[in-house]
Amino acid sequence: MALELYKKKRNFKETPEPEGTPKSSKSKLEFVVQRHKASSLHYDFRLEMDGVLKSWAVPKGPSLNPKDKRLAMMVEDHPYDYKDFAGIIPSGYGAGIVEVWDHGTYADLENSEMKTAEKNLRSGLHAGSLKFTLFGKKLKGEFALVKLKGKQDNARPNDSSGGAWLLIKHNDEYATSEDYNSEDDTPQNSPINKWLAENKPEKLSKPSTVKKKAS
Ligand code: MN
């Protein structure tokens, strides 16, 4: 998919989002989870692979409880630089405000060196069963993204992109058996929460200035 669809959906004269070119980390693959208040609040889960960020929108956010199967809708690849993006998206596709909720490195389950990990992860993605270990601040340990079978699979049997997936925590030392809500793991004074307290939602459609860097 590369970045064509990402670029097609955006006017970079109007959005502060990075235009970006394919780029890779030096020694470890990276992941980011962005919290995004658009028409609804959701989380964007992104894994670096082959120079871009493979991306899923997770309406309920990730969970550390293995019993939760969180719907994750695969969306277009985002540029590598998007992992550092936080701020206001003034209008058009995905308009709203974005903050970085969690980030870190990630690898295949064997914690292979980067090129081997990338190869294993790519195979998993294409097979619709992607297993990986996250080394984040909030999200740690093993997870899986499992693709749900859908109508489009019949139309495009060799295309694993898009569609509905489930994000599931594996049972390991970082898993919890308690109810988990990613909102409870979000500081009350996070950039989005502060912004929402100070601004009326209709202002989301207008350009605004907000500190670009999430804490
Ligand atoms: Mn989003």
Side-chain angles (χ1 to χ4, degrees):
M1 199 164 11
L3 297 173
E4 286 88 0
L5 187 56
Y6 173 86
K7 292 188 181 189
K8 209 172 134 187
K9 283 184 172 179
R10 287 166 178 80
N11 180 348
F12 294 101
K13 291 194 178 86
E14 288 176 3
T15 179
E17 294 169 289
E19 191 157 1
T21 47
K23 215 184 270 189
S24 295
S25 299
K26 293 213 162 57
S27 60
K28 301 258 188 198
L29 295 167
E30 295 191 38
F31 84 94
V32 66
V33 181
Q34 280 148 325
R35 187 167 171 259
H36 182 186
K37 172 72 178 85
S39 54
S40 65
L41 181 72
H42 62 275
Y43 289 70
D44 292 305
F45 187 84
R46 309 189 197 278
L47 299 173
E48 174 191 355
M49 207 184 294
D50 298 323
V52 296
L53 302 177
K54 297 292 170 188
S55 297
W56 290 261
V58 184
K60 286 188 169 178
S63 177
L64 292 175
N65 186 328
K67 283 185 184 157
D68 291 328
K69 293 175 172 59
R70 292 289 164 85
L71 181 67
M73 298 302 297
M74 198 175 192
V75 299
E76 75 275 18
D77 293 349
H78 277 51
Y80 177 79
D81 288 338
Y82 210 95
K83 68 187 177 57
D84 301 314
F85 176 74
I88 297 273
I89 305 173
S91 63
Y93 180 79
I97 176 167
V98 172
E99 66 190 5
V100 174
W101 185 79
D102 196 20
H103 62 100
T105 62
Y106 89 105
D108 58 355
L109 294 186
E110 294 75 29
N111 199 10
S112 312
E113 58 78 28
M114 188 170 146
K115 286 295 153 199
T116 305
E118 205 162 32
K119 185 167 157 270
N120 291 338
L121 293 159
R122 193 187 302 125
S123 311
L125 182 80
H126 289 187
S129 173
L130 184 53
K131 293 174 179 167
F132 48 90
T133 307
L134 299 179
F135 303 92
K137 293 192 175 74
K138 293 170 179 156
L139 301 182
K140 297 177 202 281
E142 297 184 6
F143 289 79
L145 270 165
V146 182
K147 190 168 194 251
L148 293 168
K149 295 263 178 262
K151 277 184 195 161
Q152 66 174 34
D153 297 325
N154 301 324
R156 292 180 296 163
N158 298 318
D159 183 5
S160 72
S161 65
W165 297 60
L166 295 174
L167 176 63
I168 307 163
K169 177 81 190 84
H170 282 174
N171 215 341
D172 60 17
E173 62 188 299
Y174 300 108
T176 179
S177 53
E178 310 279 311
D179 287 347
Y180 182 87
N181 181 346
S182 50
E183 287 295 292
D184 297 336
D185 236 349
T186 303
Q188 283 201 332
N189 65 349
S190 82
I192 288 184
N193 292 349
K194 264 164 77 179
W195 194 90
L196 287 174
E198 291 162 10
N199 294 273
K200 293 214 164 74
E202 58 262 33
K203 283 198 181 169
L204 280 175
S205 60
K206 294 175 194 158
S208 179
T209 51
V210 75
K211 288 219 172 60
K212 231 195 146 182
K213 195 75 191 162
S215 56

